[in-house]
Amino acid sequence: MGLSHYLVVAAILFSLGVLALATRRNAVLMLMGIELILNAANINLVAFSRFQAMNIDGHVTAVFVIILAAAEAAVALAIVLQIYRQYQTVNADEIDKLRE
């Protein structure tokens, strides 16, 4: 497998993530779209690292991105749960007031 194969997979994941962000109004599905985009970035980081004479900077950066994505998901899910308790929905279009 060459570098182009990894780039194609990453491009597909990135496109699906952007599509999920643009078309979905459900907050959980929007978070999943963000995770797909971050995973596409990770694939690119590791692929470029592999094809650059054993440079581990891409791997370290990918681990850092994974840690940030996990923290972001935890905080975002907590916010979504709180919004659900307040409004009984996670649809982004129906949540027009952040404060009542």
Side-chain angles (χ1 to χ4, degrees):
M1 284 176 68
L3 179 61
S4 62
H5 294 99
Y6 293 105
L7 296 179
V8 167
V9 171
I12 291 169
L13 279 178
F14 183 81
S15 300
L16 290 174
V18 170
L19 183 69
L21 273 178
T23 60
R24 300 294 179 185
R25 297 291 98 199
N26 187 325
V28 176
L29 293 177
M30 293 169 75
L31 287 174
M32 290 174 66
I34 292 171
E35 295 297 324
L36 283 177
I37 291 171
L38 291 175
N39 282 329
N42 281 338
I43 289 174
N44 281 336
L45 289 170
V46 173
F48 282 118
S49 175
R50 181 174 183 259
F51 288 99
Q52 272 191 340
M54 299 300 291
N55 186 0
I56 65 166
D57 291 343
H59 293 90
V60 172
T61 308
V63 169
F64 184 70
V65 169
I66 290 169
I67 292 169
L68 283 178
E72 171 260 334
V75 170
L77 285 175
I79 291 170
V80 168
L81 282 174
Q82 194 62 29
I83 287 173
Y84 182 75
R85 284 185 185 165
Q86 184 76 24
Y87 297 102
Q88 301 298 319
T89 184
V90 291
N91 190 344
D93 288 337
E94 296 176 12
I95 305 167
D96 57 350
K97 294 180 183 175
L98 292 178
R99 199 167 154 193
E100 287 188 2

